[in-house]
Amino acid sequence: MEQLARLYHDHLRVLNQRVSEIISRENLSGLIIHSGQPHRQFLDDMDYPFKVNPHFKAWLPVTDNPNSWLVINGRDKPQLIFYRPVDFWHKVADEPSDFWAEHVDIKFLTKADKVAEYLPDNIDEWAYIGEHLDVADVLGFSRRNPDSVLSYLNYHRATKTEYELACMRKANEIAVTGHQAAKAAFYNGASEFEILQVYLSAISQGENQVPYSSIVALNENSAILHYTALEHASPAQRRSFLIDAGANYNGYASDITRSYAFEKNIFDDLITAMDNMQLQIISMMKPGVSYAELHIQTHYKLAQILLDFDIVRGDVQGLVEQGITRAFFPHGLGHMLGIQVHDMGGFLSDENGTHVAAPEAHPFLRCTRELDINQVLTIEPGVYIIDSLLAELKQERCQSQVNWNMVDSLRPFGGIRIEDNVIVHGDRIENMTRNLGLSR
Ligand code: GLY
Ligand code: MN
Ligand code: MN
């Protein structure tokens, strides 16, 4: 913890430098960052789970306190206006005493609508950064989420500080504990619902604390890319298991996927092939490499695997160019990771916000940036039997290039995805997930 506290101090210095640069360019006195407000459910007196503004939690690991504010001038200690109402219905946040508290100036706000009393007088010179434009309006902000400021912050956010890297290693460590427990539960006969409970209990985080809805899928369900339905009953026959689940540490996310076969069979061999291929792609990462190019290379490698397993016929080039590999691997290779699972900034090629779209043939790719030092990305190739996509191949000239018998025999296993979280260093790649011993 002492180490983390030291790194945190440096982290704040870097964030302050970024703010100092952008406010001087934009002629601002500073940024006022709103943690957010609860969202009420329609026709109800209950709120949805609170999700904090990512620009707020970039500064401090407070993820569960709406109506709080940061006043940042790029020079001084951040000022934290910390919400502590008199409230006997809900848990009131404790007075901060963690490692970060001494690095910020804290004032307590007891009534959410009295925040104006704590904000600077010349509010027009400050930019509001947050979700609630109506609140910003009432407070008198004329500059709300300026594009230039958000682009600058989102672009630079891709470069993680040492504090952030330490948090993300820890988020991986926590998730890996859960993955190991979930794997054991799968081989012991648990249902999807039970496996998720085992996972959450092993990492000691609730469903609203993990960074995204965990995917726990048995058999055919593992071909549904965002499967979150969770069957309570165990399937009569247990064939395969895909788990895409992360953990949160100080607001930072891990995002890890593993695939398992219940028995040694061709699906197990296919997992081994995908696993080797994923590691090959990771070994190609270094500063200067285009992430979109890695995605394309993944398609060529996948084409070879599909040929090796007699799933398709033809040649590698043709299989990629005709979109046949895309029917088996429709999503992107991965994305930037950080305070958000899909961290902002993946499409920004410069700090002014120049957007580089995904290639037309690969619309779901979430990152087109060049890799650089201290970026964190996921690498998550997959292969799935998705009938709606394969049906399109049937209608096209490619029908004869697919071995439909092999597709039929793989369908009951669903699909495979293998996802690690990787740091790009100047002289090496750090695979946080594998370093913790989570192999296949
Ligand atoms: N779990 C979300 C993703 O892998 O992108
Ligand atoms: Mn991911
Ligand atoms: Mn994932």
Side-chain angles (χ1 to χ4, degrees):
M1 202 38 115
E2 241 171 64
Q3 165 77 349
L4 202 64
R6 228 184 0 263
L7 295 178
Y8 177 71
H9 187 63
D10 266 1
H11 171 71
L12 283 189
R13 195 176 42 74
V14 172
L15 294 195
N16 246 341
Q17 269 168 7
R18 289 179 191 162
V19 170
S20 163
E21 175 63 32
I22 191 62
I23 61 176
S24 88
R25 282 191 211 174
E26 295 299 314
N27 239 337
L28 287 161
S29 297
L31 308 182
I32 297 187
I33 308 176
H34 189 190
S35 70
Q37 291 187 167
H39 281 279
R40 186 64 32 119
Q41 296 176 32
F42 182 53
L43 297 182
D44 208 329
D45 60 358
M46 280 180 260
D47 298 325
Y48 290 106
F50 176 67
K51 299 291 172 193
V52 67
N53 172 1
H55 287 284
F56 185 90
K57 69 170 169 168
W59 286 84
L60 70 183
V62 172
T63 57
D64 57 359
N65 202 12
N67 304 310
S68 296
W69 301 74
L70 279 163
V71 180
I72 313 279
N73 66 11
R75 193 179 56 239
D76 303 319
K77 269 188 178 186
Q79 279 181 46
L80 171 63
I81 301 166
F82 194 74
Y83 187 50
R84 294 196 77 231
V86 176
D87 182 346
F88 54 88
W89 293 103
H90 306 99
K91 157 90 182 150
V92 175
D94 293 328
E95 286 194 20
S97 60
D98 287 350
F99 68 91
W100 54 269
E102 63 178 288
H103 299 288
V104 295
D105 280 333
I106 305 176
K107 292 178 187 152
F108 295 108
L109 175 68
T110 52
K111 293 198 167 66
D113 60 1
K114 294 283 184 247
V115 68
E117 295 169 15
Y118 296 78
L119 297 178
D121 292 334
N122 47 350
I123 206 74
D124 220 34
E125 295 168 15
W126 294 73
Y128 171 87
I129 306 292
E131 183 187 351
H132 299 275
L133 301 183
D134 47 344
V135 174
D137 219 9
V138 170
L139 290 170
F141 286 96
S142 58
R143 311 216 29 205
R144 295 168 289 179
N145 298 324
D147 283 343
S148 52
V149 174
L150 289 190
S151 295
Y152 183 91
L153 295 179
N154 291 339
Y155 177 80
H156 287 287
R157 200 211 277 177
T159 307
K160 268 54 184 185
T161 64
E162 290 301 323
Y163 165 78
E164 293 179 299
L165 296 179
C167 290
M168 295 182 76
R169 290 187 192 103
K170 189 76 187 158
N172 264 261
E173 193 182 314
I174 298 167
V176 163
T177 312
H179 273 261
Q180 274 153 349
K183 176 183 177 183
F186 165 64
Y187 285 109
N188 284 332
S191 68
E192 291 171 347
F193 181 79
E194 288 163 343
I195 295 172
L196 179 60
Q197 305 315 308
V198 166
Y199 178 84
L200 294 173
S201 160
I203 68 168
S204 200
Q205 295 187 8
E207 266 182 90
N208 290 324
Q209 291 173 304
V210 288
Y212 58 92
S213 300
S214 313
I215 296 171
V216 172
L218 297 178
N219 300 343
E220 296 89 335
N221 293 339
S222 59
I224 301 170
L225 298 180
H226 284 169
Y227 177 79
T228 51
L230 293 175
E231 286 180 13
H232 284 243
S234 270
Q237 216 196 336
R238 183 167 292 263
R239 290 181 289 267
S240 60
F241 171 40
L242 183 151
I243 173 165
D244 183 345
N248 172 359
Y249 186 74
N250 283 353
Y252 289 84
S254 53
D255 176 10
I256 300 173
T257 309
R258 285 294 181 269
S259 298
Y260 303 100
F262 194 62
E263 291 169 344
K264 295 263 166 260
N265 50 27
I266 187 168
F267 187 74
D268 193 49
D269 293 340
L270 189 55
I271 295 176
T272 304
M274 291 298 290
D275 191 56
N276 289 335
M277 183 264 260
Q278 189 248 18
L279 290 173
Q280 281 171 30
I281 295 292
I282 290 174
S283 73
M284 293 160 66
M285 296 171 78
K286 61 178 179 193
V289 166
S290 140
Y291 193 81
E293 181 55 29
L294 285 179
H295 174 84
I296 305 291
Q297 287 303 319
T298 306
H299 274 272
Y300 284 102
K301 289 181 183 297
L302 177 63
Q304 189 59 55
I305 291 175
L306 295 174
L307 287 168
D308 293 346
F309 280 77
D310 197 24
I311 299 168
V312 298
R313 305 182 184 106
D315 64 281
V316 162
Q317 189 80 19
L319 290 165
V320 175
E321 282 172 7
Q322 293 170 86
I324 295 177
T325 52
R326 264 201 326 273
F328 291 92
F329 170 40
H331 59 75
L333 177 61
H335 47 87
M336 299 198 139
L337 183 69
I339 39 180
Q340 291 173 290
V341 178
H342 299 156
D343 222 12
M344 294 292 290
F347 296 107
L348 300 181
S349 68
D350 60 37
E351 60 187 26
N352 301 318
T354 308
H355 184 97
V356 176
E360 210 171 312
H362 300 274
F364 302 119
L365 183 61
R366 286 199 176 96
C367 178
T368 52
R369 271 174 88 150
E370 244 184 36
L371 301 184
D372 210 343
I373 294 173
N374 287 353
Q375 289 180 355
V376 180
L377 298 118
T378 70
I379 296 289
E380 48 180 306
V383 61
Y384 315 85
I385 305 298
I386 302 175
D387 283 324
S388 57
L389 296 179
L390 295 175
E392 289 174 22
L393 294 185
K394 268 193 181 157
Q395 327 244 309
E396 294 165 13
R397 280 171 303 147
C398 329
Q399 153 135 17
S400 62
Q401 284 184 257
V402 177
N403 177 355
W404 297 101
N405 287 336
M406 188 54 101
V407 164
D408 288 344
S409 60
L410 288 173
R411 183 177 295 105
F413 294 91
I416 297 167
R417 181 165 63 256
I418 297 166
E419 177 175 26
D420 290 339
N421 303 168
V422 177
I423 306 174
V424 180
H425 293 289
D427 55 350
R428 74 198 159 94
I429 289 302
E430 179 182 342
N431 187 330
M432 291 184 277
T433 315
R434 303 264 175 165
N435 286 354
L436 291 158
L438 186 66
S439 53
R440 56 160 308 236

